[in-house]
Amino acid sequence: MKTLKKNYLTYQIIFIFAIHKIRYIASVEIEAISKELYKLAGGNMTPLDDEGNERDLFFDSDCIQYLDLNWHITKKCVNVVASNFYFTKQENLILRPLKNCNKRGNGRWKKAYQAVKHDRLESLSAGNIANLIRAMAALYVLNLYYRNEKYDVG
């Protein structure tokens, strides 16, 4: 029985790290694609601070905000329709993965990404399946724009 319990805990830890890693990679891709879309859409690649000095470009308050003003991406929804996901709460069935992500410090998966990025061990619990699915949904939405294909939805 001890061996079984030890193996279970080992697989559980491996699973947690796998979720964390995939969610982190998805979040990095979200950051990169949002900046690329911002550039392609004509966003200012050299933003200035309040004193007129050049500052870093932020993927959320600069890029996603600009994309939202042009394409309303924070209002886009993703329906979770996998038959093997047994979600019962409405908030898990229809996601708005970029909701509030145009503001610094907001957005569920984005808060988890920032927390893990700055303190991985303390914030490892933020690397959960809910944040993974939301990050993947956000990446999906951005990739639809990045591919620049048109779809007839009825």
Side-chain angles (χ1 to χ4, degrees), residues 23-84:
R23 189 202 41 76
Y24 186 79
I25 291 168
S27 299
V28 169
E29 282 298 305
I30 290 166
E31 191 168 345
I33 290 173
S34 66
K35 287 182 178 181
E36 185 66 24
L37 285 169
Y38 176 81
K39 180 180 178 182
L40 291 171
N44 177 12
M45 296 303 290
T46 53
L48 304 176
D49 64 17
D50 293 337
E51 286 86 43
N53 300 315
E54 194 172 315
R55 63 165 176 79
D56 289 335
L57 180 67
F58 300 120
F59 89 95
D60 48 9
S61 57
D62 290 325
C63 301
I64 293 179
Q65 174 65 21
Y66 183 81
L67 299 175
D68 191 48
L69 290 172
N70 288 289
W71 303 328
H72 310 287
I73 63 170
T74 62
K75 293 178 177 41
K76 303 302 179 195
C77 294
V78 175
N79 292 333
V80 179
V81 294
S83 61
N84 57 348

Side-chain angles (χ1 to χ4, degrees), residues 85-103:
F85 282 11
Y86 301 104
F87 297 145
T88 55
K89 293 181 181 177
Q90 187 67 19
E91 69 182 49
N92 295 326
L93 296 172
I94 301 173
L95 307 176
R96 281 185 47 205
L98 293 167
K99 179 183 177 182
N100 295 325
C101 288
N102 55 333
K103 300 173 182 96

Side-chain angles (χ1 to χ4, degrees), residues 19-27 109 112-113 116 126-127 131-132 135:
I19 289 171
H20 160 73
K21 193 172 199 175
I22 294 167
R23 189 202 41 76
Y24 186 79
I25 291 168
S27 299
W109 64 265
Y113 166 56
V116 172
N131 286 325
L132 169 64

